[in-house]
């Protein structure tokens, strides 16, 4: 609630903001916020900071769709994002607590062997954040991106949107590769306990919500469906950039020495 309070305030006052010059500036600034947060989440090694930067990227998405005057879509994305991001933060808190308060993702690895249910919640909320079809994040994100594709914006805003969507997939796959695929690389101590069943009660509730709340809210809060008329490639553009982001995130986080070197080549970006 605290992070998205500004977005919620602008949603409430969206009738006052209509047709202002400020909205054009807001569109540019929020698009650049999406892009910057996506880029800098790829170079973070702190688990909480990656999730916080991904929240910043989604906030840029909400603000930019709000600056086009579609406040109901911004509210829809705020609600679905609240579901899976709360789950993501809870999983990260459990993992950091079990890691003996180490937040660096280079220390983690092979977590899915030891705490499978927490990893399940983490994975599903991450994939819902990426906009995998028919999870919660897909409904709001895909609708927003298709309405951006239909509106007559310039090419820079279009590319900012789609590159930021690809970068979401990128840092998510990077985080999953560091957390799940690697071997266990904490120091010689082994401090992963059993699962925290008190946390898992609320985490399973949020897991259920981040699966179904996209379609549910789409039935509930839109009184008429949006008419979207796009060519096939433009309609599938979200899937294309998500797949490219998945591929890039896999190739970068391959944990081989050459992938790390190639990753450091583009650090000056």
């Amino acid at each position: 609630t605290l992070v998205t309070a500004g977005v919620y305030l602008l949603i409430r006052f969206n009738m006052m903001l209509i047709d202002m010059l400020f909205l054009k500036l807001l569109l540019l600034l929020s698009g650049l916020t999406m892009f910057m947060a996506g880029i800098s989440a790829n170079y973070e090694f702190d688990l909480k900071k990656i999730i916080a930067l991904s929240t910043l990227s989604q906030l840029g998405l909400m603000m930019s769709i709000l600056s086009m005057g579609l406040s109901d879509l911004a509210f829809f994305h705020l609600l679905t994002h609240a579901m899976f991001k709360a789950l993501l933060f809870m999983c990260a808190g459990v993992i950091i607590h079990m890691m003996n308060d180490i937040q660096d993702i280079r220390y983690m690895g092979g977590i899915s062997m030891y705490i499978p249910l927490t990893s399940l919640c983490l994975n599903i909320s991450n994939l819902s954040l990426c906009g995998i079809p028919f999870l919660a994040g897909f409904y709001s994100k895909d609708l927003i991106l298709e309405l951006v594709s239909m509106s007559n914006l310039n090419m820079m805003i279009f590319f900012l949107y789609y590159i930021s969507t690809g970068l979401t997939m990128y840092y998510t796959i990077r985080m999953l590769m560091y957390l799940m695929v690697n071997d266990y690389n904490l120091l010689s101590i082994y401090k992963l306990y059993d699962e925290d069943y008190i946390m898992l009660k609320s985490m399973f509730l949020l897991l259920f919500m981040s699966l179904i709340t996209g379609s549910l809210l789409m039935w509930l809060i839109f009184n008429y469906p949006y008419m979207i008329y796009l060519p096939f490639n433009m309609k599938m553009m979200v899937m294309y950039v998500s797949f490219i982001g998945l591929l890039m995130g896999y190739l970068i986080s391959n944990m081989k020495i050459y992938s790390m070197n190639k990753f450091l080549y583009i650090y000056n970006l």
Side-chain angles (χ1 to χ4, degrees), residues 161-213:
Y161 265 99
Y162 278 107
I163 289 174
S164 306
T165 306
L167 284 173
T168 305
M169 196 68 168
Y170 197 131
Y171 57 71
T172 298
I173 295 299
R174 175 173 173 261
M175 197 169 93
L176 291 191
M177 293 283 288
Y178 268 92
L179 258 67
M180 311 283 167
V181 180
N182 250 352
D183 280 338
Y184 183 73
N185 353 338
L186 195 55
L187 322 168
S188 62
I189 320 170
Y190 171 60
K191 282 208 62 154
L192 283 173
Y193 327 119
D194 285 337
E195 305 260 359
D196 193 349
Y197 288 103
I198 303 173
M199 289 287 283
L200 275 178
K201 290 192 192 93
S202 45
M203 271 158 59
F204 276 149
L205 188 66
L206 275 175
L207 178 71
F208 187 61
M209 289 305 284
S210 70
L211 289 177
I212 64 164
T213 188

Side-chain angles (χ1 to χ4, degrees), residues 2-224:
L2 192 60
V3 178
T4 53
V7 184
Y8 182 65
L9 202 63
L10 286 186
I11 289 171
R12 295 287 291 205
F13 287 115
N14 70 322
M15 288 302 171
M16 293 170 57
L17 299 170
I18 210 136
D19 247 356
M20 281 176 63
L21 181 67
F22 168 67
L23 286 188
K24 298 176 178 59
L25 181 68
L26 181 68
L27 175 63
L28 179 67
L29 284 181
S30 53
L32 287 175
T33 303
M34 263 201 297
F35 185 60
M36 174 223 46
I39 286 284
S40 51
N42 278 313
Y43 292 104
E44 274 312 325
F45 283 115
D46 190 342
L47 180 61
K48 280 199 289 191
K49 206 176 280 189
I50 292 174
I51 303 177
L53 282 168
S54 104
T55 308
L56 184 61
S57 172
Q58 306 297 314
L59 283 181
L61 185 63
M62 291 175 213
M63 279 297 207
S64 54
I65 196 65
L66 189 60
S67 67
M68 298 177 199
L70 295 163
S71 60
D72 49 351
L73 271 182
F75 188 56
F76 179 37
H77 189 62
L78 191 144
L79 290 180
T80 53
H81 172 256
M83 295 296 165
F84 51 76
K85 196 49 73 77
L87 178 59
L88 200 53
F89 267 118
M90 284 175 73
C91 295
V94 170
I95 287 173
I96 287 171
H97 182 63
M98 289 181 179
M99 278 285 156
N100 207 3
D101 294 343
I102 290 179
Q103 295 185 17
D104 200 329
I105 61 172
R106 287 171 293 189
Y107 280 113
M108 303 174 187
I111 287 192
S112 52
M113 295 292 181
Y114 304 115
I115 33 174
L117 292 174
T118 310
S119 305
L120 172 91
C121 294
L122 182 87
N123 280 331
I124 291 186
S125 57
N126 252 331
L127 293 178
S128 175
L129 164 70
C130 288
I132 298 292
F134 313 117
L135 292 177
F138 170 74
Y139 286 94
S140 55
K141 203 170 192 174
D142 201 69
L143 193 56
I144 285 174
L145 281 165
E146 281 169 357
L147 283 174
V148 168
S149 305
M150 279 185 69
S151 57
N152 49 356
L153 290 164
N154 52 9
M155 203 57 134
M156 194 193 84
I157 299 289
F158 186 78
F159 274 121
L160 272 182
Y161 265 99
Y162 278 107
I163 289 174
S164 306
T165 306
L167 284 173
T168 305
M169 196 68 168
Y170 197 131
Y171 57 71
T172 298
I173 295 299
R174 175 173 173 261
M175 197 169 93
L176 291 191
M177 293 283 288
Y178 268 92
L179 258 67
M180 311 283 167
V181 180
N182 250 352
D183 280 338
Y184 183 73
N185 353 338
L186 195 55
L187 322 168
S188 62
I189 320 170
Y190 171 60
K191 282 208 62 154
L192 283 173
Y193 327 119
D194 285 337
E195 305 260 359
D196 193 349
Y197 288 103
I198 303 173
M199 289 287 283
L200 275 178
K201 290 192 192 93
S202 45
M203 271 158 59
F204 276 149
L205 188 66
L206 275 175
L207 178 71
F208 187 61
M209 289 305 284
S210 70
L211 289 177
I212 64 164
T213 188
S215 48
L216 185 72
L217 284 174
M218 199 168 196
W219 289 327
L220 288 179
I221 69 179
F222 294 133
N223 49 0
Y224 60 93

